[in-house]
């Protein structure tokens, strides 16, 4: 029973630990899912910001193209005012530019016209020579495309005036596409002459040929290109301004009309710890922005950290769970100890109800139960048994002379001797005072019962050492057989008592077997 109870206790403790562990896992899983939801919302927010900027670029370019269709061919001041208004409204745009088509056969005349009416040092330039780069492959066009307008004007970019766009390697393909496509075309990302990375959004502009005046510079002809120069840093800045989570790594990839992919920007994040990477998931997402002219892919990656899921609220809950983890086993142990004490008390109460307190022998109630068991065995297999009634001779004198404490010592000694002289399947009980009753099972004959009684008599009739000295002891024994002398406990005790009384009359110290049969 104790082993079973301990197994139950261990089982309950394991269950409690399991429940706390499962609750902790659910809590961390819930926090992880909450982080995933926030990550998804974050991705949508950043993607919306980038999408809005790309749409704005297209809108600005469309407006600038419409302006170039209406502006006078030499009115760069009006173009500058327009560009200033646009850039003040959209500071992420770095520069507005315009280039015009000049037929190859008219290049020399065009140079002379602009030197006379605009810049004495104006010249048509090849970009590789200006940038001191090797010559690059370029598409063959029937015209050249010099840059004639830039806003804002910057000293470091003034040398760009007159540069043929078809000689700029990263613009050559995009330029060719604008000749057959009225929609905006995007260039690859490139390193600017004045520093930094950027890409250009360009659109072809056509208008009716104006009558030329030789005294005025012809900046804007009938066929033009409107160009929007966008620094990649401006897009990165917009993302960083909205980036409330510094641990999200964002990469932007621009898909050009040539089918190439260029990295626009990539944010830097602090490297996550080894434990974070081992135990927690890495969140990732991909958003394809299907802008007509600037198709861009955003890649998001966020390695969760323990600091994300172990918030202040989570620590409070974990502390409560830890307390439960400590308290639950203590409560269970206390509960099971209380059960053990209750069982011990119950066993003690049961024992006291069926045993004699002094000798610890069964009392008459337990003896009666054993008698019923013996009758059941007799009915089952016909096994006989005997009832012995034992009374100590002159025990009252011992109590009177030496006191009840010495009498109790004698009774305990007699009880021990009777237990040693009987078998474990026999029952020795104290029936009251100095009277004892014994149930001898598996008795085959009267002689067998009498021999066992003689053995008991010899064991009892020995001097007893007490605190008052050695005391001589003897007893009188009456024996009844079942079913020969009766079939009820009262009958057998009565016949055994009569036999024992006969021994008393003859001077005590003897054994008597019941002779008269009971009906």
């Amino acid at each position: 029973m104790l082993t079973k109870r301990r197994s139950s206790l261990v089982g309950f403790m394991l269950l409690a630990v399991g429940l706390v562990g499962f609750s902790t896992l659910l809590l961390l899983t819930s926090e992880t899912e909450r982080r995933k939801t926030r990550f998804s919302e974050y991705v949508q927010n950043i993607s919306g910001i980038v999408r809005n900027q790309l749409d704005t670029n297209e809108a600005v370019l469309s407006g600038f193209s419409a302006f170039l269709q209406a502006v006078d061919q030499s009115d760069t001041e009006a173009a500058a005012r327009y560009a200033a208004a646009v850039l003040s409204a959209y500071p992420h745009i770095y520069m507005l530019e315009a280039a015009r088509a000049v037929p190859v056969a008219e290049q020399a005349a065009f140079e002379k016209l602009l030197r006379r009416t605009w810049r004495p040092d104006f010249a048509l330039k090849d970009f590789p020579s200006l940038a001191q780069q090797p010559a690059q492959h370029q598409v063959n066009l029937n015209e050249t495309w010099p840059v004639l307008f830039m806003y804002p004007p910057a000293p470091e970019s003034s040398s760009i005036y007159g540069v043929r766009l078809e000689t700029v390697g990263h613009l050559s393909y995009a330029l060719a596409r604008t000749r057959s496509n009225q929609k905006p075309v995007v260039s690859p990302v490139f390193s600017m002459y004045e520093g930094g990375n950027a890409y250009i959004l360009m659109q072809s502009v056509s208008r009716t040929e104006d009558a030329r005046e030789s005294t005025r510079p012809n900046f804007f002809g009938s066929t033009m290109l409107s160009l929007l120069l966008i620094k990649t840093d401006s897009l990165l800045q917009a993302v960083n301004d909205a980036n409330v989570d510094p641990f999200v790594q964002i990469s932007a990839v621009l898909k050009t009309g040539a089918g190439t992919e260029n990295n626009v920007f990539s944010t830097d994040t602090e490297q996550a710890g080894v434990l974070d990477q081992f135990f927690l998931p890495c969140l990732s997402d991909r958003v394809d922005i299907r802008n007509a002219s600037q198709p861009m892919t955003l890649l998001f990656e966020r390695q969760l950290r323990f600091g994300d899921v172990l918030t202040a609220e989570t620590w409070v809950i974990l502390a409560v769970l830890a307390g439960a983890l400590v308290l639950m086993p203590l409560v269970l142990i206390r509960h099971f100890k209380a059960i053990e004490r209750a069982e011990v008390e119950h066993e003690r109460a049961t024992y006291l109800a069926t045993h004699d307190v002094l000798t610890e022998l069964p009392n008459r109630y337990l003896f009666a139960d054993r008698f019923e068991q013996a009758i059941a065995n007799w009915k089952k297999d016909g096994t006989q048994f005997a009832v012995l009634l034992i009374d100590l001779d002159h025990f009252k004198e011992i109590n009177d002379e030496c006191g009840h404490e010495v009498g109790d010592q004698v009774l305990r000694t007699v009880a021990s001797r009777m237990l040693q002289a009987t078998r474990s399947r026999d029952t020795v009980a104290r029936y009251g005072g100095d009277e004892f009753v014994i149930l001898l099972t598996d008795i085959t004959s009267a002689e067998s019962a009498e021999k066992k009684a003689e053995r008991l008599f010899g064991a009892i009739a020995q001097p007893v050492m007490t605190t008052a000295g050695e005391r001589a002891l003897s007893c009188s024994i009456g024996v009844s057989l079942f079913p020969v002398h009766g079939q009820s406990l009262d009958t057998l005790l009565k016949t055994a008592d009569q036999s024992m009384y006969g021994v008393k009359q003859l001077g005590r110290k003897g054994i008597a077997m019941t002779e008269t049969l009971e009906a």
Side-chain angles (χ1 to χ4, degrees):
M1 178 64 73
L2 182 60
T3 302
K4 184 177 180 180
R5 188 181 301 112
R6 287 179 177 175
S7 299
S8 299
L9 174 60
V10 172
F12 276 114
M13 291 179 66
L14 291 176
L15 178 61
V17 172
L19 287 175
V20 172
F22 183 67
S23 299
T24 302
L25 179 61
L26 284 180
L27 176 63
L28 296 180
T29 302
S30 175
E31 284 296 319
T32 301
E33 290 300 320
R34 188 167 69 90
R35 278 288 173 178
K36 288 181 179 179
T37 301
R38 291 181 60 181
F39 177 72
S40 298
E41 294 173 350
Y42 175 84
V43 168
Q44 294 177 7
N45 180 42
I46 297 298
S47 301
I49 291 172
V50 174
R51 185 179 290 108
N52 288 338
Q53 284 220 353
L54 299 181
D55 292 342
T56 299
N57 294 342
E58 282 192 344
V60 171
L61 182 63
S62 177
F64 186 45
S65 299
F67 173 82
L68 291 179
Q69 286 180 323
V71 70
D72 183 84
Q73 64 181 8
S74 60
D75 195 355
T76 55
E77 293 183 1
R81 289 193 297 271
Y82 178 87
V86 169
L87 295 185
S88 64
Y90 305 104
H92 73 279
I93 298 174
Y94 177 65
M95 183 175 288
L96 292 177
E97 297 180 7
R100 60 157 294 179
V102 178
V104 174
E106 299 178 9
Q107 290 184 74
F110 183 76
E111 276 186 317
K112 291 179 181 179
L113 174 63
L114 290 190
R115 286 174 183 170
R116 186 178 68 250
T117 59
W118 183 39
R119 288 175 178 259
D121 59 345
F122 178 79
L124 297 177
K125 310 168 189 174
D126 289 343
F127 184 76
S129 299
L130 178 66
Q132 297 180 353
Q133 296 177 353
Q136 299 177 351
H137 173 75
Q138 64 185 63
V139 295
N140 294 319
L141 302 175
N142 295 325
E143 64 275 330
T144 187
W145 294 84
V147 177
L148 300 177
F149 174 81
M150 291 186 297
Y151 190 90
E156 62 270 17
S157 59
S158 61
S159 58
I160 299 297
Y161 288 114
V163 169
R164 296 181 173 96
L165 292 182
E166 70 273 14
T167 66
V168 183
H170 50 267
L171 296 180
S172 180
Y173 182 83
L175 177 61
R177 287 197 63 202
T178 60
R179 303 298 293 124
S180 59
N181 188 359
Q182 294 299 315
K183 295 182 179 179
V185 177
V186 69
S187 75
V189 176
F190 60 91
S191 297
M192 293 193 301
Y193 179 72
E194 59 269 32
N197 292 330
Y199 68 88
I200 290 178
L201 192 63
M202 62 179 70
Q203 186 173 15
S204 178
V205 180
S206 298
R207 69 177 186 176
T208 304
E209 181 77 25
D210 293 337
R212 298 184 181 180
E213 298 180 19
S214 60
T215 59
R216 300 174 62 191
N218 189 3
F219 294 110
F220 310 115
S222 60
T223 304
M224 296 168 285
L225 281 179
S226 57
L227 297 97
L228 211 64
L229 185 61
I230 304 154
K231 275 192 171 183
T232 57
D233 287 346
S234 65
L235 196 56
L236 177 60
Q237 184 60 44
V239 169
N240 286 335
D241 289 343
N243 188 0
V244 295
D245 190 343
F247 297 123
V248 177
Q249 184 175 13
I250 309 171
S251 298
V253 178
L254 178 67
K255 299 179 181 179
T256 68
T260 60
E261 294 186 352
N262 298 146
N263 184 47
V264 179
F265 68 83
S266 181
T267 61
D268 295 326
T269 60
E270 181 181 346
Q271 182 70 25
V274 176
L275 294 179
D276 296 328
Q277 298 179 39
F278 185 79
F279 288 104
L280 296 177
C282 180
L283 308 180
S284 61
D285 202 350
R286 173 191 176 111
V287 177
D288 291 315
I289 300 178
R290 304 186 185 279
N291 184 276
S293 62
Q294 307 155 87
M296 190 171 292
T297 298
L298 298 179
L299 302 175
F300 299 84
E301 189 172 286
R302 172 66 155 87
Q303 172 63 55
L304 288 185
R305 292 160 166 79
F306 279 106
D308 299 323
V309 296
L310 298 178
T311 62
E313 295 81 1
T314 306
W315 276 115
V316 171
I317 298 175
L318 288 177
V320 173
L321 291 175
L325 184 62
V326 174
L327 290 177
M328 288 181 71
L330 295 178
V331 171
L332 287 173
I333 292 173
R334 183 176 180 182
H335 173 70
F336 274 89
K337 284 186 176 180
I339 292 176
E340 288 182 356
R341 288 194 299 268
E343 289 187 352
V344 170
E345 292 298 327
H346 176 72
E347 292 175 358
R348 179 64 178 168
T350 303
Y351 181 85
L352 293 177
T354 56
H355 289 75
D356 175 61
V357 177
L358 176 64
T359 61
E360 298 184 354
L361 294 175
N363 57 20
R364 61 176 64 200
Y365 303 108
L366 182 55
F367 184 84
D369 181 71
R370 300 283 176 81
F371 181 83
E372 294 298 328
Q373 294 179 20
I375 291 179
N377 292 335
W378 171 73
K379 290 179 179 180
K380 181 179 178 181
D381 51 28
T383 303
Q384 299 184 58
F385 56 89
V387 174
L388 279 64
L389 189 63
I390 302 173
D391 184 80
L392 300 182
D393 297 331
H394 306 293
F395 181 74
K396 185 175 182 302
E397 297 176 3
I398 295 176
N399 273 340
D400 292 342
E401 293 177 6
C402 303
H404 289 282
E405 184 177 349
V406 174
D408 291 345
Q409 294 176 12
V410 172
L411 292 176
R412 284 194 290 269
T413 301
V414 170
S416 176
R417 290 177 179 178
M418 287 191 293
L419 289 174
Q420 293 175 2
T422 55
R423 300 162 300 181
S424 58
R425 60 178 179 270
D426 298 329
T427 300
V428 179
R430 184 183 180 192
Y431 217 63
D434 60 343
E435 284 189 343
F436 297 88
V437 62
I438 298 177
L439 180 67
L440 298 177
T441 59
D442 299 332
I443 298 300
T444 57
S445 62
E447 290 76 11
S448 174
E450 190 168 3
K451 287 182 179 180
K452 292 181 182 297
E454 290 175 353
R455 181 181 177 185
L456 280 164
F457 180 85
I460 295 171
Q462 298 292 330
V464 178
M465 183 60 66
T466 68
T467 55
E470 188 178 82
R471 303 291 301 185
L473 190 64
S474 65
C475 65
S476 300
I477 301 177
V479 183
S480 295
L481 299 177
F482 179 94
V484 178
H485 300 131
Q487 296 188 18
S488 67
L489 179 59
D490 290 340
T491 301
L492 292 175
L493 288 174
K494 181 178 179 181
T495 56
D497 183 66
Q498 290 174 351
S499 299
M500 184 190 67
Y501 184 72
V503 174
K504 294 283 188 182
Q505 287 182 329
L506 295 175
R508 297 181 174 84
K509 197 176 182 181
I511 303 171
M513 175 72 71
T514 300
E515 296 181 357
T516 304
L517 296 179
E518 295 289 339

